[in-house]
Amino acid sequence: MNTGRIPSVTVIGSKRAQIGATNCVVGEAAEGYVLRAILTTQAAPLAVLEGPEGRLVFASEEGAEVALHPRLEGANTEGFDAEFFERLLEADEDVLGEQVLAAGEPSYQAVAAMLPRVVDDTFVGDPRVGERAIVHPDGSIEGMLEPLTELPWEELKTRGRWGIVATSLPLPIMRIELEDGALAEQIVAAAVGADGNLQVFIRRRHVEGESERVEYLARPEQEQPPSEAEFYGAVLRAWRQAREFEQRLMRMEGGDEELTALALSSMQMADLTMRGCRPRYGVGPYDEPRHDGFPPTTLHLALCLLEWGDFARAEDVLGCYLDAFVNADGTFNYYGPAVAEYGQMLALVARYVELTGDLRWWTARQNVLRAVWTRLLELRRASLADEGAPPEARGLIAGLPEADYHGDEEQWRQYYFAGDAWVCRGLTEMARLLRRTGQAAEADAITTEVEAYKADLAATIAEAKVETAGGVFVPPGPTQRTPFDHLTEDRHSSYCNYRYFAEMVSAGIVDEETVRQILGYRRSRGGELLGMTRFSDHLDDWPVMNYARAMIETGDVERYLLLLYSHLAQHQVVGWLAAPEQVRIVPDEHGLRRKHAGQVVPCQVTAPLMLRWVLAYELRDEEVLLVAPAVAHWWLTQGEGLRVNGLPTRWEEVDLALRGNDTSVEIRLSLPDGFPAEARVRIPSPPGHAPREVQVNGRSAENLADEGRVVLVPPGTGGEVVIAGTF
């Protein structure tokens, strides 16, 4: 079969086309392609062809308009025994992570091989309606369809492969290799029917020898099965929706193209999780109204959209939360809001305004937000005046660190440094925004209070640290000073590891030495597996973006990349990319790793958000842009290297191009005239090497840092800056 060239096509009628020189009706083949359907509702009729390895081609007489190449993966269940997992759970160090890092720069393939993959559910839907259909890993579809085959899991785990119809189109496909070369395959798509309800279309294909049987199925309540044209029309509409989504984002090409495509598909799935602009924490177990107000759904998705440049969608998502879930007294309409989430929401609002310049939006929302920051300032003042508060907590804000603690009355009165750190960050950003919009007096008043708050917090943290034989233990709060021997030794230590320490180090308020102490303690006390977050005997990564932020700010590049690839390969469902809140470490009785909790938005956006920060990251309290702070050197050796256009920053957009080989790297940074910030350009280097010579615009570089790995481009620079490094 021809695996490269796509033959010419001439549409003859609603069921017939000429493929190359051969006239075919639907179901017949020529030149290695099967004619699957004719789509006559398009501006120009399209023939749908299926070629080698299941490639779907939508072609007109002008040529191929869309070509979809399926990507599938297996469960990787062989070679792991009970002793292997016992060793992982008992280890204080990240055994697997260290193995990956010792082999060089991380990659998807390296990380994917380290554990059995997560085999579990995914979903399909259409952004125009709220319903989603859940697809199970045996091919069954919840409430409507039985499994694709009758194979037991003991066989399915080795015969099955799961994936998406293209790396940039996350419609689920699965294939099962049967006896004697037979094959069973399923693709699921969704659309909106004439009645405004979700329609689910399924194609099942069975191959045995030279015989092929293709079925097009629908859910029972749909009046009749779809025609082949309706099924492929739904696939084409999904592809167009995906393209529209990507066209709203900054453009990234080259590098690890598979990583980019999978990360953006994951981002599409996060956006599809929502009900329009209304938050939905997850599809499946978390699809209940009581979870809609959980702030991190909005915090994570809106931040990811902003960082990638989709300002309009970010405005929809953020504005909806402010309209529907912020009460008049400045509290959130949710059963267990964490103190940190209030500061995070203020910081997100500031980020929206500084990237978009949308002062009209800010003016319209200001009163709602003033209630939030006024309440936080009142809580700080009340704590300063509270003579009954623990002396070591004077001036700090008590309150929930996590919704799961909402049933414990004592936790509503407990103190956590993470909450204070993020309140300080949120108030700092509000003061800057007020000053920018001409409200200097209020900005100065807030700044005066928050500077005193930060000083109190820093002093309390410094006094609370405990020296241990394994390093400095930084407690999660001023009244919780007993060190954890292991960060999964009990429920509370697991919560601290998964969230409270993470949010403490991500606010940019705690000093760098303390951040490094927290990260070091986590890594030496059983807090990580492949860089991901351990929680008891499973993994829970929904807040892990906070650790990622701390790693970018402290320059821990290798571990940052390890976490990026690990989350995508080992915390998301194999092939299908659905991102559960929690996943198991130890396989079930069939040898399969499964989800421990349902799919959620924060885990779904972790990979795309981390990928965005790989390219550029803005220091929050300095006029500094980190350029290529975590780009892997091996990415630059792929094809034409890596190119980024329209990368948004709080100053202006910038463009970036990098390429290299084993002995040299070239970076082209395009800055607007008079760019007001310093650009700190990191030169991606082969492991164990630093540049021996660096030039900037053809001259020997003078302003270098980090042993020559970082070029300092001063404020006021404009135009193209060309940096060349040799090793």
Side-chain angles (χ1 to χ4, degrees), residues 355-400:
L355 283 177
T356 66
D358 192 349
L359 298 182
R360 181 177 180 180
W361 182 92
W362 160 247
T363 300
R365 307 287 181 181
Q366 191 172 149
N367 287 339
V368 172
L369 295 161
R370 179 171 278 106
V372 176
W373 80 66
T374 297
R375 174 176 172 271
L376 295 176
L377 288 169
E378 289 173 349
L379 290 172
R380 155 74 174 168
R381 295 167 194 152
S383 180
L384 287 169
D386 184 3
E387 296 182 358
E392 63 268 36
R394 183 69 63 85
L396 305 185
I397 294 177
L400 282 183

Side-chain angles (χ1 to χ4, degrees), residues 60-80:
S60 69
E61 296 185 7
E62 301 298 319
E65 295 192 8
V66 179
L68 305 176
H69 302 258
R71 179 187 182 276
L72 296 104
E73 299 182 90
N76 190 40
T77 58
E78 301 298 319
F80 304 96

Side-chain angles (χ1 to χ4, degrees), residues 519-539:
L519 294 178
Y521 204 87
R522 165 181 161 92
R523 290 167 187 156
S524 65
R525 299 299 178 106
E528 293 185 353
L529 180 61
L530 285 170
M532 299 175 288
T533 296
R534 288 186 57 185
F535 188 110
S536 186
D537 61 353
H538 55 275
L539 300 171

Side-chain angles (χ1 to χ4, degrees), residues 356-683:
T356 66
D358 192 349
L359 298 182
R360 181 177 180 180
W361 182 92
W362 160 247
T363 300
R365 307 287 181 181
Q366 191 172 149
N367 287 339
V368 172
L369 295 161
R370 179 171 278 106
V372 176
W373 80 66
T374 297
R375 174 176 172 271
L376 295 176
L377 288 169
E378 289 173 349
L379 290 172
R380 155 74 174 168
R381 295 167 194 152
S383 180
L384 287 169
D386 184 3
E387 296 182 358
E392 63 268 36
R394 183 69 63 85
L396 305 185
I397 294 177
L400 282 183
E402 156 73 38
D404 290 351
Y405 281 16
H406 79 281
D408 185 342
E409 288 296 326
E410 181 180 343
Q411 287 296 325
W412 289 84
R413 299 186 296 273
Q414 186 58 270
Y415 298 86
Y416 287 90
F417 292 137
D420 295 292
W422 270 104
V423 169
C424 287
R425 169 55 58 196
L427 292 173
T428 297
E429 300 301 336
M430 283 298 99
R432 289 173 180 162
L433 188 50
L434 288 166
R435 188 170 289 108
R436 175 183 173 183
T437 54
Q439 300 172 79
E442 186 174 7
D444 290 344
I446 292 175
T447 299
T448 298
E449 290 196 63
V450 80
E451 289 301 317
Y453 191 177
K454 288 193 287 186
D456 288 346
L457 177 59
T460 303
I461 291 173
E463 196 275 331
K465 293 180 182 181
V466 180
E467 293 281 352
T468 75
V472 174
F473 173 71
V474 182
T479 61
Q480 306 176 60
R481 302 192 183 192
T482 302
F484 302 125
D485 292 329
H486 196 78
L487 286 176
T488 59
E489 66 188 34
D490 58 19
R491 180 175 184 264
H492 186 61
S493 63
S494 287
Y495 270 101
C496 291
N497 181 51
Y498 116 102
R499 183 172 186 184
Y500 314 153
F501 290 141
E503 291 181 324
M504 189 175 169
V505 299
S506 65
I509 298 296
V510 175
D511 65 274
E512 184 173 327
E513 180 185 32
T514 301
V515 170
R516 291 183 182 277
Q517 289 167 343
I518 292 171
L519 294 178
Y521 204 87
R522 165 181 161 92
R523 290 167 187 156
S524 65
R525 299 299 178 106
E528 293 185 353
L529 180 61
L530 285 170
M532 299 175 288
T533 296
R534 288 186 57 185
F535 188 110
S536 186
D537 61 353
H538 55 275
L539 300 171
D540 190 334
D541 254 8
W542 84 249
V544 81
M545 172 273 286
N546 292 281
Y547 282 123
R549 187 163 215 160
M551 285 187 276
I552 277 284
E553 293 182 343
T554 57
D556 198 345
V557 176
E558 289 75 18
R559 291 185 184 277
Y560 185 94
L561 290 170
L562 172 67
L563 173 58
L564 169 57
Y565 281 116
S566 296
H567 181 87
L568 188 61
Q570 296 291 4
H571 206 288
Q572 296 188 216
V573 172
V574 62
W576 284 352
L577 296 179
E581 181 191 68
Q582 304 165 47
V583 298
R584 296 175 183 172
I585 297 173
V586 180
D588 64 11
E589 67 275 16
H590 304 299
L592 294 163
R593 288 180 60 226
R594 298 284 199 174
K595 68 183 180 186
H596 192 77
Q599 179 267 353
V600 296
V601 166
C603 277
Q604 205 73 64
V605 299
T606 294
L609 186 54
M610 288 186 67
L611 177 59
R612 166 61 179 81
W613 288 341
V614 160
L615 307 171
Y617 183 87
E618 299 161 49
L619 297 186
R620 286 167 283 184
D621 296 325
E622 300 178 61
E623 295 299 285
V624 171
L625 176 66
L626 305 182
V627 178
V631 170
H633 175 266
W634 73 264
W635 296 1
L636 311 189
T637 67
Q638 308 300 299
E640 297 298 316
L642 173 64
R643 300 168 302 283
V644 183
N645 296 102
L647 191 151
T649 76
R650 66 177 181 259
W651 304 286
E652 291 183 73
E653 289 184 353
V654 302
D655 297 335
L656 180 64
L658 306 93
R659 62 180 180 177
N661 52 42
D662 292 341
T663 60
S664 65
V665 164
E666 180 187 82
I667 303 171
R668 292 180 178 269
L669 174 64
S670 298
L671 299 171
D673 290 340
F675 191 68
E678 177 185 75
R680 297 180 186 170
V681 185
R682 174 181 160 273
I683 301 174

Side-chain angles (χ1 to χ4, degrees), residues 224-236:
Q224 59 186 13
S227 66
E228 65 269 12
E230 287 176 313
F231 173 81
Y232 296 106
V235 173
L236 183 61

